[in-house]
Each structure stands twice: as C-alpha cells, then as structure tokens.
Amino acid sequence: MDLDYHALAPELVVAATILVVLGLDVALPRPRKYWTAFAGVLGLALAAVPLLTLAFGDGPETRSMLGGAYVVDGFALVLKAVFIVGGYLVLLMSVSYIESDRYYQGEYYLLMLTSILGSLVMASSRDLITLFVGLELVTGPLFLLAGWRKGDAKSNEASLKFFILGVLSTAILLYGMSFMYGLTGSVTFEGIREAAPDLLDSGAFRLAVLFTLVGFGFKVTAVPFHFWAPDTYEGAPTPVTAYLSVGSKAAGFVGLLLLCYKALPSVTEIWGPALWVLAALSMTLGNLTALRQDNVVRMLAYSSIAQGGFILVPFAAAAVTNDPAVIQEAASATIVYVIIYAFMNLGAFGVVIAGARRTGSTMIDDWAGMWRYAPRLAVLGAMFFFSLAGIPPLAGWYAKFAMFLSILRPGNAWTTTLAVIAAVNAVIALVYYARIGKTMWMDHVPEGADRSAVATRPLTGSLALALGISALFVVLAGILPFEFAGVFADLAKVVTTGI
C-alpha cells in the first residue's frame, strides 16, 4: 500500500491524541479529568508541526496515496491548517466552559478531536468515498456534542433536530453520489471529470449533481436547507456552536470546492445557477432574520447563514467563465473568505462565552453598558462584530473585497446582479452587528442589574489566549492587507493547482 507517513503525519498525530485522551479518561479520577483537555490542546498543537515541514521543507509538493484517492498538496495543507488552528481555538474556549458546567470532559474532547480528524481527511479526499467518509466523521460526533447539556430541553431539541436533518441530508448526498458513480463508472474526481461532458444532456446526471449539491447545502446551512441551524446553535454548548459555525461549515465548503472545481468543472451550467440561487437566498434571508434577533447566539446563527451566502458568491463567478485567471481568483476568494471568517467568528463566539460569564445572559440588551465593567471585553466585542460587518481596517473588509473583486471581474449580468445583492446585504448586516457595539458602548447598564459579582470574574487563561490569537489575526490582516496580499496570492496559486 502506497502510504506516505510524513504526508499522513497530521492525521496520525490527531488520531494518537484521540487514543491518549481516551486512555486518560479511563485511567484518571473525575477531579483530574482536566488532563484530557491539556492532552487535546497539546495534540492539536503538535499536529501543526508536520504541516509546516510539509509546506516549507521542500515546498508543498503533491503526494498521492491510495491510488489517487488521498492527496496531500498545497490545497490540502492550507485547509488542514485552517481546521487545526480553528480546532485549537475551539478547544481553548472549551476548557473553562466544560469544567465550569461539570460536563463529561474526556468524551467531549474525544468527540471534538474525532470531528477535527474528519475535516483533515476531507481536505485530502479525491474521490467520493473518501469525501463521504470524511464528511460523516466531521458531523457524526457533532450530533452528540449538540446535546451535551443532557438536562437542558433546548440542548436535547438541538441535538434531535440536528440529527434528523443531518441524516436526511446524508441520505440525499449519498443518493446523488451513487447516481454519479452509476452514470460515470468512477468514484474518483478525475474519472468523473472525464466522463461528465458526455453526460451533460442526461437528466439523471443533472439530478445526481443537484442531489449532491442539496446534501452539501445542508452542511453549509445554505437557505433553504438551514432549518436546523438556529435552534441547534442556541441549544448546543457555546464552544460546540462555535465549531459548528466554523469547522463544520468550512468542511462543507471544502466538499463543494472539490466537487465543483475538481470533479465537475465542465458542467458549470448545472451547478452555477443552483449556487447562485443558494448564495442570494442565504445572504438575504439570513441577514433579514438576524435583524430581529434579541439573543446574540441566535443572531450569530443567522449571521452564519448569511456569511455562508457570501462565501458561495465566488462560485457564480467561476461558473460563467472559462478564463483560468478568473477561476483562480474565484477559488482564492472562497478560501480567503473561509480563513478570515474562521478567525472573526471564533473570536465573536469567544466574546459570547466571556460575555455570558460576566452577565449571566446571552440576551443583547443584558450586555448594555459592558464597557463600564468589562472594557477589554467590550473592545474585543466591537472588534470582532465590526470585522464580521466588513468595516476597515479589520480583516473582514479584505474578505469582502476579495469576494466582490471575484464576482465583478467577469462582467456578466448574472454576476453583477449577485454583486448588487451582496452589497445590499452587506449594508443590512452592518445594522445588527452595529447594534451589539452600540449596546455595549452607548447604552446604560440595565436598572437593577447587579454586575458587582460577575464583573470581577477574570477571563480564564485559555479563553484569553483564544481571543488574543483571533484578535491578532483580525487586526494584522486588516491593517496590513497588501503584506497579506502576497500570502493570499500564493494561496490562490496553491488552491487552483490543488483543485
């Protein structure tokens, strides 16, 4: 078997960490279960080391295994870095949260690490079977994690809705993939790409592509496949919600990138219009519904749906052109947006965890006047939420700039219309993001609210570290966009060649 253990090192390190966490959970008494958290955080940090040696040792050369079904190239390394860093930040956010509520710690970290391992597998998958196995490894543990607050009715509801709709989406996705295999005679992306042009007029093939897109639409919470997201986000433990909104969503977009750019680049007339509609609906419905939310977690849930729509926008640009430069720019814009969004959104959820700890509430009005008793947290909150809105000089503006540049480059009427829809939605999003900033900085502390006890609770070291890493990236990527532009330009080349 053609295995390259250096190329597989990140996955092997995460797998070994899972076994270590399991062993510690079995061996340690309950008061010492916190060592499982330490092992999980350390293991993910170590998993990043082989990524660096693979990327900067001899350059990100392509390493193919299992007959081309599993490939480690520049594209895979970039996405694996996003998943590992994002997972690392989520584990840091989880430490005090899981300990304070006396959850089962060992099982929590084991399931979270298993989901992260699945995302690493997805980044390297180059056939339908490996892609499906990786995707289910990502989502399977999250069905349990969403209901981790076992005595909470909302958490139980979150888990049940997520499970039922997750199984439904899996069935639709697998149905489409089986059709695709039956019609093309291949499960590899390369084989499907070669057979697809001859099947363009086949109604069954079009149905296969659309079913597969619908399956991924559930995973990325695109409208109208988003029904599970708001209740699941609100009911799940906040660190799990943070991972759902970033890690799980990014894994879904990896699947879409591989499917559209690697397996089906010659049938853009099928997936292009479908993703155009999903992008427009997700941005519009997500933003309009977020305007009406009073709970910051539900607001971020609908915000996540809208942000997913922005990430889908560059697909429309790639679908209307055969220009390799435009396709490269569209792929780069998607990945750049995913990377920046990961840090912005994880930072926002870190603020939610800290804000709920300080105020005892996730209702926006209860955060009024936060700057008076938690000024540093109010600064971080304003920073992350305005970055999500795309306000310079924070990183969010560059993500939206790359997205708009990719969609306007083709000069097509359909892409221009989508750009106008995106611009209107960017303005709508500013309203509800600014509302949180206004509440924290301009409103008075609610009458009768006793903040004397909770205001003295300092941030735990792990949560402060997660917020610090996220804030540093958001500031540097926004203030130094042209310095980062060189990195993103290299990323564009890596992404295109990888896909």
Side-chain angles (χ1 to χ4, degrees):
M1 189 175 291
D2 53 335
L3 293 181
D4 184 335
Y5 290 102
H6 185 198
L8 287 173
E11 290 90 330
L12 294 176
V13 172
V14 175
T17 304
I18 292 172
L19 296 177
V20 170
V21 168
L22 179 60
L24 290 174
D25 185 49
V26 171
L28 294 174
R30 188 171 181 85
R32 300 179 68 84
K33 297 285 189 182
Y34 61 84
W35 283 104
T36 58
F38 177 79
V41 171
L42 179 61
L44 274 188
L46 292 176
V49 175
L51 287 180
L52 296 175
T53 60
L54 287 166
F56 300 109
D58 298 321
E61 61 178 279
T62 300
R63 301 166 184 256
S64 181
M65 291 165 278
L66 305 177
Y70 203 85
V71 173
V72 177
D73 54 10
F75 171 79
L77 292 176
V78 167
L79 269 301
K80 287 180 183 183
V82 174
F83 291 132
I84 287 177
V85 174
Y88 179 80
L89 294 177
V90 169
L91 290 191
L92 288 177
M93 294 178 190
S94 301
V95 174
S96 62
Y97 190 98
I98 298 300
E99 286 181 357
S100 64
D101 286 280
R102 303 189 67 80
Y103 296 115
Y104 292 105
Q105 297 179 57
E107 294 92 331
Y108 175 88
Y109 293 107
L110 185 146
L111 290 171
M112 187 64 75
L113 287 166
T114 301
S115 183
I116 294 168
L117 177 61
S119 65
L120 300 183
V121 172
M122 282 195 69
S124 286
S125 62
R126 294 298 182 271
D127 72 357
L128 295 177
I129 296 174
T130 311
L131 181 67
F132 180 78
V133 169
L135 185 61
E136 292 313 300
L137 196 57
V138 171
T139 56
L142 294 174
F143 296 149
L144 296 173
L145 289 173
W148 212 241
R149 295 203 299 258
K150 297 178 180 62
D152 188 316
K154 283 189 175 181
S155 189
N156 295 335
E157 179 186 1
S159 182
L160 186 61
K161 284 185 176 180
F162 188 23
F163 174 74
I164 292 174
L165 291 176
V167 170
L168 174 63
S169 69
T170 297
I172 295 173
L173 177 64
L174 196 56
Y175 193 60
M177 286 182 171
S178 64
F179 259 60
M180 203 173 294
Y181 166 65
L183 293 167
T184 62
S186 176
V187 294
T188 65
F189 296 152
E190 184 177 353
I192 294 171
R193 184 177 67 245
E194 293 174 357
D198 297 330
L199 297 168
L200 191 56
D201 296 328
S202 168
F205 184 72
R206 289 176 177 268
L207 198 63
V209 174
L210 292 176
F211 272 141
T212 308
L213 291 179
V214 168
F216 280 114
F218 277 99
K219 306 301 182 184
V220 301
T221 62
V223 174
F225 314 114
H226 67 291
F227 303 107
W228 61 271
D231 291 334
T232 299
Y233 279 34
E234 184 180 11
T238 310
V240 176
T241 302
Y243 182 75
L244 276 170
S245 70
V246 172
S248 178
K249 184 184 287 286
F253 278 110
V254 169
L256 278 177
L257 281 165
L258 290 171
L259 181 71
C260 294
Y261 290 94
K262 183 69 175 178
L264 302 170
S266 59
V267 293
T268 56
E269 53 265 53
I270 301 177
W271 56 261
L275 294 183
W276 192 101
V277 172
L278 292 184
L281 288 177
S282 299
M283 288 186 292
T284 305
L285 185 63
N287 280 321
L288 290 178
T289 312
L291 284 172
R292 304 178 58 187
Q293 303 307 311
D294 295 319
N295 184 298
V296 68
V297 176
R298 288 188 72 87
M299 187 276 288
L300 281 173
Y302 285 106
S303 159
S304 178
I305 294 168
Q307 294 286 352
F310 286 119
I311 298 172
L312 283 171
V313 165
F315 283 90
V320 299
T321 181
N322 293 318
D323 186 347
V326 175
I327 295 174
Q328 172 178 304
E329 190 169 43
S332 175
T334 299
I335 301 299
V336 167
Y337 206 118
V338 167
I339 293 171
I340 294 177
Y341 168 73
F343 285 94
M344 295 188 298
N345 218 47
L346 286 175
F349 273 104
V351 169
V352 170
I353 294 172
R357 179 179 171 83
R358 290 294 183 94
T359 64
S361 172
T362 56
M363 300 302 292
I364 296 174
D365 289 344
D366 289 336
W367 288 16
M370 184 181 286
W371 72 272
R372 295 178 180 274
Y373 55 87
R376 286 178 294 182
L377 189 58
V379 169
L380 288 171
M383 179 187 302
F384 290 123
F385 286 110
F386 279 115
S387 183
L388 284 166
I391 302 299
L394 302 168
W397 82 266
Y398 189 83
K400 284 190 167 55
F401 172 78
M403 178 270 292
F404 278 113
L405 192 63
S406 71
I407 196 69
L408 291 172
R409 186 79 73 185
N412 179 278
W414 285 99
T415 57
T416 302
T417 302
L418 190 59
V420 172
I421 295 173
V424 172
N425 276 284
V427 175
I428 296 173
L430 175 60
V431 175
Y432 59 81
Y433 288 131
R435 176 190 171 191
I436 298 179
K438 177 247 183 194
T439 301
M440 290 190 296
W441 283 93
M442 301 179 69
D443 290 355
H444 296 290
V445 178
E447 256 185 69
D450 181 12
R451 297 286 183 256
S452 58
V454 294
T456 57
R457 295 177 182 173
L459 289 177
T460 59
S462 57
L463 181 55
L465 178 59
L467 285 169
I469 293 172
S470 301
L472 182 64
F473 180 89
V474 166
V475 171
L476 289 180
I479 293 178
L480 304 172
F482 298 106
E483 284 74 2
F484 274 76
V487 177
F488 291 144
D490 293 338
L491 173 63
K493 186 185 298 183
V494 165
V495 168
T496 306
T497 55
I499 292 178

